[in-house]
Amino acid sequence: MEKLRLPKPGTIQVAPSLLSADFARLTDEIKVIEDADVKMVHLDVMDGHFVPNITIGPPVIEKLRKYSKLVFDTHLMITDPEKYAETFIKAGADHITFHIEVVDNPIPLIEKIHSLGATAGLCLNPETKLEAIAQYIKYCDMILVMTVHPGFGAQDFMPEPAKKIERIRDIAGADVRIEVDGGINPQTTPGVVSLGADTLVAGSSIFGWKDRIAAINNIRKAAE
Ligand code: DX5
Ligand code: ZN
């Protein structure tokens, strides 16, 4: 199946994270964010090993694929992305992000993801140093900076790891998206955008509100 591409770098995108959505009504939740004209949806995959929580896997993504034309931005918080990336892409993921902490050399997996038609990204935990990914940024379509410890929604934003964004932007230039994940809301958005982030993952600050569309627009306004 033809893959959807990430929106052009430089345009600010809100990527709602379904982690805080109502899992019993996922298609309704996707419909609402489509009505807000978002271009991508952030899918958090947790395996109970890399993080102490378990969420969704390829069967759920495969079913959701039939209901949405949003870019499926798939965040693999799993210990073995080399083993599972292909299954997620075949299920409908358009973009695969995996963590630098679980691979020795990410290049073969980035190449494999590209050969399967998807875009690829690397993610780093709050305590992981920028140096761990610096030499690989040029191979990626998007870099994901965690501003909470991965595993759960609705945690407080950590300002310290966000500082990496500025240096990543220096290395990446304008052609790579920089996504930030954890504690993003209208208050924390201006800071990360001024550092160079253009992709804002937000879970609880969207799905924690009754009016999801207004919540998305509030983040957009804060990014201006
Ligand atoms: C956490 C996930 C996030 C999570 C963010 O491990 O990677 O995508 O949904 O949740 P909020 O936006 O509530 O901090
Ligand atoms: Zn995430």
Side-chain angles (χ1 to χ4, degrees), residues 17 19 42-46 73-77 99 123 144 146 150 179 181-182 201:
S17 160
L19 186 62
H42 186 82
L43 305 172
D44 288 298
V45 175
M46 305 185 189
D73 164 26
T74 310
H75 179 190
L76 298 183
M77 286 164 274
H99 275 254
C123 181
L144 176 53
M146 292 303 303
E179 184 173 45
D181 187 1
V201 176

Side-chain angles (χ1 to χ4, degrees), residues 24-54:
R25 297 175 41 255
L26 283 180
T27 51
D28 298 338
E29 297 280 46
I30 288 176
K31 173 82 178 58
V32 171
I33 61 171
E34 286 182 348
D35 288 346
D37 202 28
V38 306
K39 306 291 181 232
M40 48 200 288
V41 59
H42 186 82
L43 305 172
D44 288 298
V45 175
M46 305 185 189
D47 65 351
H49 292 276
F50 181 65
V51 289
N53 199 1
I54 301 176

Side-chain angles (χ1 to χ4, degrees), residues 80-136:
D80 208 348
E82 280 128 329
K83 186 167 167 194
Y84 292 103
E86 182 166 358
T87 313
F88 279 96
I89 293 168
K90 289 199 167 137
D94 300 296
H95 177 84
I96 296 280
T97 288
F98 60 99
H99 275 254
I100 191 68
E101 296 85 8
V102 296
V103 292
D104 293 328
N105 172 9
I107 294 177
L109 182 53
I110 292 169
E111 285 175 347
K112 182 173 177 186
I113 291 167
H114 283 154
S115 76
L116 292 164
T119 50
L122 275 172
C123 181
L124 65 181
N125 278 341
E127 54 286 319
T128 301
K129 297 219 179 333
L130 169 72
E131 287 66 33
I133 61 157
Q135 61 178 305
Y136 306 119

